[in-house]
Amino acid sequence: MKQTLFIVGARGAGKTTIGKLLSEALSYKFIDTDESIQAISEMTIADLVQQHGWEYFRKLESQTLKTVSQGECIISTGGGIVLSSENRRYMHQNGIVIYLQTSAEVLSKRLSLNPENSQRPSLTGKSIIEEIKEILVEREPLYQECADFTVDANLATEDIVSCVKSYILNQQSKLI
């Protein structure tokens, strides 16, 4: 029995990379909420936030989450999707939530190497490492609250995929 899988974690944790690889390994459809929002709005997230503000973006993010999570799929969520208690509850009630956990230092390094970093708006206007540390302090309890399974996102990509795949297959065997 297949289920919807939600992947949560800070930006740079590897949600999209792991989600795509898991979708191939498990034969699930892959959806990225940020990509869906950009396709719907025909704007980058940075432009969307600049023109309409964070509150508008968060509402659109919540709507998108519910729209795309119909059926058997793996959904890579935006890093801030857990800020809404409604989103946390929705994901927990409608699938399995996988949390990719890593440190601010690792996230900072990954984001500085990511060419799309300029497309991601700063939340605080601070340096990447300062911003990430503050965000993790705020969001870590929220990620933990909704997670069914937490994975060390410092592991090699193939090890993360293998670990999550094993967990999912084990959960599915319990449902049979």
Side-chain angles (χ1 to χ4, degrees):
M1 176 183 171
K2 291 186 178 182
Q3 290 184 274
T4 302
L5 306 180
F6 299 97
I7 303 176
V8 300
R11 69 177 179 178
K15 299 180 300 284
T16 299
T17 300
I18 298 301
K20 286 179 180 176
L21 292 170
L22 271 173
S23 71
E24 292 172 18
L26 295 169
S27 299
Y28 278 55
K29 179 180 177 183
F30 174 75
I31 299 163
D32 182 299
T33 58
D34 284 349
E35 288 177 10
S36 297
I37 290 167
Q38 290 179 96
I40 292 164
S41 67
E42 298 180 345
M43 302 172 84
T44 66
I45 290 173
D47 289 342
L48 192 64
V49 169
Q50 184 178 15
Q51 289 187 25
H52 301 285
W54 278 107
E55 186 176 333
Y56 175 85
F57 171 75
R58 294 293 179 212
K59 285 180 183 176
L60 187 56
E61 185 177 53
S62 295
Q63 292 168 356
T64 301
L65 175 68
K66 291 174 183 152
T67 302
V68 300
S69 60
Q70 307 301 316
E72 303 164 345
C73 54
I74 294 177
I75 300 172
S76 169
T77 64
I81 206 154
V82 296
L83 293 172
S84 161
S85 60
E86 181 183 332
N87 291 345
R88 294 191 307 274
R89 190 170 36 258
Y90 179 84
M91 290 186 294
H92 195 66
Q93 291 174 349
N94 291 281
I96 296 173
V97 182
I98 308 297
Y99 171 33
L100 299 183
Q101 183 181 46
T102 190
S103 69
E105 291 75 21
V106 170
L107 293 169
S108 176
K109 183 178 177 184
R110 288 180 184 171
L111 289 172
S112 67
L113 297 172
N114 185 343
E116 291 182 17
N117 192 36
S118 63
Q119 297 296 315
R120 301 167 190 232
S122 170
L123 296 170
T124 63
K126 296 181 179 181
S127 72
I128 290 177
I129 189 72
E130 288 177 303
E131 181 173 291
I132 291 170
K133 283 180 179 178
E134 283 184 18
I135 289 169
L136 284 180
V137 166
E138 175 189 17
R139 295 181 185 174
E140 178 69 21
L142 305 177
Y143 293 134
Q144 292 287 352
E145 176 188 320
C146 68
D148 293 299
F149 186 62
T150 300
V151 182
D152 180 353
N154 297 322
L155 296 172
T157 303
E158 57 273 7
D159 293 337
I160 296 170
V161 171
S162 177
C163 190
V164 174
K165 182 179 176 184
S166 295
Y167 174 80
I168 297 305
L169 295 175
N170 184 40
Q171 291 304 303
Q172 289 174 349
S173 69
K174 290 179 182 178
L175 297 173
I176 296 174

